[in-house]
Amino acid sequence: MISISQESDYIQTTVLGEFTLQDYREFEESVLYQSKFHGPVALLFDLHEMLSYTLDMALEELKFVREHGQEFNRIAVVTSDQWVTWSAWLSRMFTDAEIGIFDDTNDAKAWLVQSSELNA
């Protein structure tokens, strides 16, 4: 299950349980809509409660980041999972966005807001 909310400075996406292709497509629509009207997106991806993900979702993520990597300016990933951290760093090959990995959601939010204030 996925929860997506538009905050003042970023999009917050929280994954609970299994991360599926349907969830990822919902995320894609939100990012593309936001970037179309407001430019590059700052994103907080909270994966603390993610239990697993489907293979088709992982493949879609690679495809999306390759095609739309320029739609992001900063991506904060909240996780304590080593494989998710590795995957986030791997995604850096396909985007110019600055990627930060955090154990704490508040630290991730502060990092995103700081970026927004510096660019204002």
Side-chain angles (χ1 to χ4, degrees), residues 32-84:
L32 292 175
Y33 177 85
Q34 184 69 15
S35 68
K36 180 177 180 179
F37 293 104
H38 301 287
V41 174
L43 174 68
L44 189 154
F45 236 130
D46 188 344
L47 304 176
H48 264 122
E49 301 296 323
M50 182 179 76
L51 299 177
S52 64
Y53 54 88
T54 61
L55 180 58
D56 55 353
M57 186 288 306
L59 294 173
E60 181 67 18
E61 177 189 18
L62 286 174
K63 178 182 168 192
F64 183 77
V65 172
R66 286 184 62 187
E67 292 176 9
H68 300 284
Q70 73 282 1
E71 307 293 336
F72 302 97
N73 60 16
R74 252 187 176 188
I75 303 169
V77 179
V78 181
T79 185
S80 57
D81 184 298
Q82 183 178 7
W83 289 109
V84 172

Side-chain angles (χ1 to χ4, degrees), residues 1-2 17 27-28 32-33 40 60-61 77 80 84-85 87 89-90 102 105 107-108:
M1 185 175 111
I2 191 169
F27 161 76
E28 290 175 335
L32 292 175
Y33 177 85
E60 181 67 18
E61 177 189 18
V77 179
S80 57
V84 172
T85 300
S87 173
W89 289 119
L90 182 63
F102 301 88
T105 304
D107 291 343

